[in-house]
């Protein structure tokens, strides 16, 4: 089966317990589906920096690095399949909505995908709309289901 998760994880609740619980529950659920041999795709607004590594310390309180150490075997963040050059070329996916848009505004990559090993990432890109319509830019994943599953 193809199992798809659409997420919008907590950012502003100031509850580390809620954020922690969401990550653990999501990844446990996804791992159960992987263990069944299912194809698993999770996409959305993780409200965690998907580019920064776990050791980053200079972060906004609402944009902590997504802890890769939490990701179970058989799952990967799609960004991790990209080279450093490909990551650097991606447009950011989120800006702070607390102020007006400015050229030097701090931005992040909070939106993206986590996929199981039996889902092949064909392409991955951010649609740079310049935050014209939202405080987020859309992310596009083109994928193919592996026939070896």
């Amino acid at each position: 089966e193809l199992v798809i998760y659409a997420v919008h994880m907590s950012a502003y609740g100031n509850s580390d317990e809620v954020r922690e619980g969401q990550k653990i529950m999501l990844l446990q659920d996804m791992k159960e589906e992987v263990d069944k041999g299912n194809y698993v795709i999770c996409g959305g607004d993780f409200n965690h920096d998907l580019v920064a590594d776990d050791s980053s310390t200079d972060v906004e309180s609402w944009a902590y690095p997504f802890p890769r150490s939490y990701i179970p075997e058989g799952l990967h963040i799609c960004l991790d399949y990209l080279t450093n050059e490909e990551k650097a070329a991606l447009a950011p996916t989120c800006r702070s909505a607390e102020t007006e848009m400015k050229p030097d505004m701090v931005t992040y990559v909070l939106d993206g995908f986590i996929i199981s090993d039996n889902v092949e990432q064909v392409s991955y890109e951010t649609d740079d709309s310049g935050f014209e319509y939202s405080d987020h830019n859309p992310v596009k994943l083109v994928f193919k289901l592996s026939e070896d599953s």
Side-chain angles (χ1 to χ4, degrees):
E1 294 181 3
L2 173 59
V3 181
I4 298 178
Y5 295 82
V7 298
H8 187 184
M9 298 178 86
S10 180
Y12 300 106
N14 283 333
S15 172
D16 290 339
E17 186 176 307
V18 168
R19 284 189 291 274
E20 188 76 5
Q22 287 178 337
K23 288 181 288 216
I24 290 170
M25 183 172 64
L26 172 66
L27 292 169
Q28 283 177 346
D29 286 352
M30 291 175 69
K31 177 63 173 157
E32 287 175 15
E33 296 300 333
V34 166
D35 289 345
K36 292 176 189 174
N38 290 329
Y39 303 99
V40 180
I41 300 173
C42 176
D45 180 355
F46 289 89
N47 272 315
H48 285 74
D49 189 336
L50 297 177
V51 174
D53 69 27
D54 295 9
S55 63
S56 298
T57 56
D58 185 25
V59 297
E60 291 287 336
S61 64
W62 54 271
Y64 295 109
F66 194 93
R68 277 154 172 78
S69 60
Y70 283 34
I71 300 176
E73 187 176 331
L75 294 165
H76 292 87
I77 294 176
C78 286
L79 283 169
D80 294 345
Y81 288 115
L82 303 178
T83 66
N84 288 336
E85 293 78 22
E86 290 170 326
K87 286 181 203 174
L90 288 175
T93 68
C94 183
R95 70 170 182 88
S96 172
E98 295 177 357
T99 61
E100 65 185 63
M101 183 62 190
K102 299 179 217 171
D104 61 345
M105 177 171 270
V106 175
T107 57
Y108 294 95
V109 175
L110 305 182
D111 307 89
F113 294 90
I114 298 175
I115 59 176
S116 56
D117 289 347
N118 57 358
V119 175
E120 179 185 341
Q121 177 174 313
V122 175
S123 67
Y124 186 92
E125 61 188 63
T126 302
D127 179 9
D128 189 359
S129 65
F131 303 107
E132 183 176 359
Y133 307 105
S134 171
D135 59 331
H136 290 262
N137 279 325
V139 179
K140 178 181 175 183
L141 168 67
V142 175
F143 64 92
K144 183 169 76 172
L145 302 179
S146 171
E147 295 179 20
D148 297 333
S149 243

